[in-house]
Amino acid sequence: MAYDGSERGGPELIGGRYRLGERLGQGGMGVVRRATDELLGRQVAVKTLALDSGADPADALREARVVAQVRHPHVIVVHDVVEHEGRPALVMELVDGGSLADRLAAGEVFSPRETARLGLGLLDALTAAHARDVLHRDVKPANVLLEKDSGRAVLTDFGIASLPGATTLSRTGVFIGTPEYTAPERMQGGDAGPASDLWSLGAVLCAAATGTSPFRRDSIGAVLHAIVYEEVRPSAAMGPLVPVVRGLLERDPELRLGAAEARRMLAACAAGEEPAAVALGPTLREDAPAAAPTPAALDRAGQDTAAGGPGSGRRGPRALPFVAAAAAVCAAAATVAVLLALQDEPPKGAAAGPHGTIGAGSTATSAPASTPASGTGRFPSRQVTDEDGFTLLVPSGATRSTDGARIIYTSPDGAVRVGVRIRPVPPGGAIGVMRASAEDGPTSNPGYRDATVEETTHRGLPAARWEFTWDGFTRAEGSRHTFDLAWEDDETLYDVWVSAPLGRLEEARSRFGATVDSFRVTGG
């Protein structure tokens, strides 16, 4: 384990040879101390079970057996198991350096190339574990040690890993794992395989490159909402890592990026190259007719393009049906009690971090007031009065979410999105914003094509209109089309857009006209 120079312990000798020293850290089940192996004259780390943790002594032996199955340069080495206060203690290699969590807490952020090199080491460690049918199940920054001199990444703490033929660690009433880095299928209590560890790796890469967990929120309920429902939009700061992160954070484990392809892409990033993205699933025919919502259609979630922001409109991974996910989580009553709150809440859209990034948390907003449907003919709509000081038409039953800069209303089937952004008029005005967004289109919107930008007026005010097609949020959903209008009113820029699958182009066009016409400012 890592030595961080923390408080002094007593000179107790255990196992007849290990002299305990400074405490290095403490987790839910054990305390880790620096120690001296007096027989071999080397520094080691000793993990002892905390007396008040309620941990079963068999858990320590189980962890030692798990690690013994996986011998790899990027996996912690267990040297010995001895008795301490009537319980087994693990004697491990001492990695001289802090954890990734320590580095991030100190404000350090890794470059894309550094993050890719870190990811390669962790991926190789996981690949070695998976080859032995061992699942780590708790890949997170605190369990990644970084050797000071070599920069070697070491995966540690296999305390909740699963091992073939061994009893799986579980505790009634307790969630096993770290929610911010746990794959959605595990959150639902479903079967978890190697793909679940790869999801966690994707989240760790985001944390290393941006400084924070991609699903950091203010409460456990908001964390779970983000994992199973919200769009994941990688930060532009991640540069060439964006495709691999998108692939690893694909919510459907069957479509998630595999280890071999992830390694190829990370190796390209580490070499300073731009990795080619990989198709994650079958593409539907773009001319397929629109159909009634199906269970698969309910898998869609995420937000759409707002003109002018870095990372706007990036393709997010397919979201699991939130109501179904909440029900599944609640059915598995062995998880933390706070999960139960999710089954009583509609999706309310906890904030997804600063515009164009994943990470920073915020509280969810309450549903806005609404009036009965009107305004878009055969496409059911309702008029909402938003808490941010405007009113407009949105799809009936739409749910509201926000990332702090943009407000998104998403239809019940996840297919149609109405967005609003209000801000001071930037240099260049509405047309400058639209032209800059269009120029960034190929980067922010995969498959960007058929784009037009034109200067116009709206209610006699300077305005600009942007329209384009792109590949959409998921391969299963297929291509999408976006209509976007921005206009200047005094010193304020209003930006309203509508996006829908290409097969529902008529609906998107109809809703866009009605939404723009219905928009009114209600607050100061």
Side-chain angles (χ1 to χ4, degrees):
M1 296 300 250
Y3 170 55
D4 63 5
S6 52
E7 67 182 84
R8 281 277 178 188
E12 183 178 3
L13 187 71
I14 66 173
R17 60 187 282 191
Y18 303 108
R19 184 75 62 182
L20 297 181
E22 298 88 352
R23 178 184 292 185
L24 305 179
Q26 180 168 351
M29 294 188 292
V31 177
V32 179
R33 289 185 174 89
R34 182 184 180 95
T36 300
D37 180 348
E38 297 192 338
L39 179 62
L40 298 180
R42 65 179 176 180
Q43 297 297 298
V44 295
V46 175
K47 180 177 181 179
T48 59
L49 294 182
L51 295 176
D52 58 353
S53 68
D56 187 335
D59 291 345
L61 289 175
R62 181 181 168 283
E63 179 178 359
R65 292 190 183 105
V66 169
V67 177
Q69 297 293 313
V70 186
R71 300 186 63 181
H72 192 274
H74 294 285
V75 174
I76 196 75
V77 175
V78 174
H79 296 306
D80 198 358
V81 178
V82 298
E83 185 176 294
H84 175 61
E85 297 179 338
R87 297 178 169 217
L90 275 61
V91 181
M92 300 175 288
E93 69 170 309
L94 179 70
V95 178
D96 190 9
S99 71
L100 176 58
D102 295 334
R103 302 273 284 271
L104 297 178
E108 185 171 349
V109 175
F110 293 70
S111 72
R113 292 185 70 174
E114 291 171 330
T115 302
R117 287 193 287 268
L118 170 69
L120 282 172
L122 297 177
L123 181 59
D124 286 349
L126 290 172
T127 300
H130 296 162
R132 295 281 186 173
D133 291 328
V134 172
L135 304 179
H136 189 280
R137 304 203 301 169
D138 199 19
V139 179
K140 61 183 179 181
N143 289 338
V144 177
L145 305 179
L146 301 175
E147 197 166 50
K148 183 169 55 178
D149 294 331
S150 68
R152 177 176 64 115
V154 179
L155 185 61
T156 187
D157 200 345
F158 283 72
I160 67 169
S162 65
L163 178 68
T167 302
T168 299
L169 178 64
S170 62
R171 303 178 189 175
T172 303
V174 177
F175 177 80
I176 303 299
T178 305
E180 288 180 29
Y181 294 92
T182 300
E185 60 268 23
R186 283 198 61 220
M187 285 295 190
Q188 296 182 96
D191 293 336
S196 297
D197 280 345
L198 295 183
W199 165 283
S200 302
L201 174 62
V204 168
L205 294 179
C206 291
T210 66
T212 186
S213 158
F215 304 106
R216 178 73 51 84
R217 301 292 186 272
D218 293 335
S219 68
I220 293 294
V223 169
L224 296 181
H225 180 280
I227 289 172
V228 302
Y229 187 75
E230 293 179 20
E231 178 197 353
V232 179
R233 294 186 295 119
S235 167
M238 300 189 72
L241 285 171
V242 169
V244 68
V245 167
R246 281 185 179 140
L248 292 172
L249 295 182
E250 164 61 51
R251 284 186 170 92
D252 186 338
E254 294 185 1
L255 299 180
R256 195 167 298 152
L257 194 65
E261 190 64 23
R263 196 183 199 292
R264 178 190 68 77
M265 298 172 74
L266 285 171
C269 292
E273 302 169 1
E274 190 80 22
V278 60
L280 301 179
T283 304
L284 298 180
R285 285 176 47 235
E286 294 184 0
D287 58 351
T294 64
L298 296 178
D299 281 356
R300 302 163 190 151
Q303 300 168 351
D304 236 302
T305 301
S312 60
R314 295 188 182 276
R315 186 174 73 177
R318 183 172 68 177
L320 300 171
F322 181 72
V323 175
V329 168
C330 295
T335 56
V336 282
V338 71
L339 302 183
L340 298 175
L342 291 179
Q343 67 180 355
D344 298 323
E345 295 182 328
K348 293 191 293 187
H355 182 53
T357 67
I358 51 180
S362 177
T363 56
T365 55
S366 58
S370 63
T371 57
S374 62
T376 56
R378 60 193 180 89
F379 304 116
S381 302
R382 63 179 176 131
Q383 188 85 11
V384 298
T385 300
D386 193 274
E387 62 191 62
D388 276 17
F390 61 86
T391 180
L392 83 169
L393 281 173
V394 301
S396 292
T399 54
R400 181 188 191 273
S401 62
T402 178
D403 61 11
R406 309 179 308 164
I407 297 159
I408 313 291
Y409 283 91
T410 305
S411 64
D413 64 359
V416 179
R417 296 168 179 83
V418 174
V420 176
R421 185 179 183 187
I422 303 173
R423 55 176 165 156
V425 177
I431 188 61
V433 165
M434 290 303 198
R435 286 172 177 163
S437 298
E439 184 176 350
D440 187 53
T443 300
S444 61
N445 300 84
Y448 180 80
R449 58 194 183 274
D450 301 333
T452 60
V453 174
E454 60 179 350
E455 194 165 10
T456 183
T457 60
H458 177 63
R459 299 172 185 164
L461 300 170
R465 178 184 168 111
W466 181 29
E467 184 177 342
F468 61 94
T469 300
W470 62 295
D471 284 349
F473 294 113
T474 68
R475 301 292 294 178
E477 180 188 58
S479 298
R480 297 179 66 83
H481 197 81
T482 300
F483 297 91
D484 193 344
L485 181 72
W487 68 94
E488 306 167 33
D489 189 349
D490 197 9
E491 298 180 354
T492 302
L493 183 73
Y494 296 94
D495 189 350
V496 176
W497 69 96
V498 173
S499 175
L502 198 57
R504 294 167 67 169
L505 184 60
E506 180 186 354
E507 178 181 355
R509 183 178 288 109
S510 175
R511 287 193 182 280
F512 178 63
T515 298
V516 169
D517 289 344
S518 68
F519 184 91
R520 296 290 187 278
V521 176
T522 60

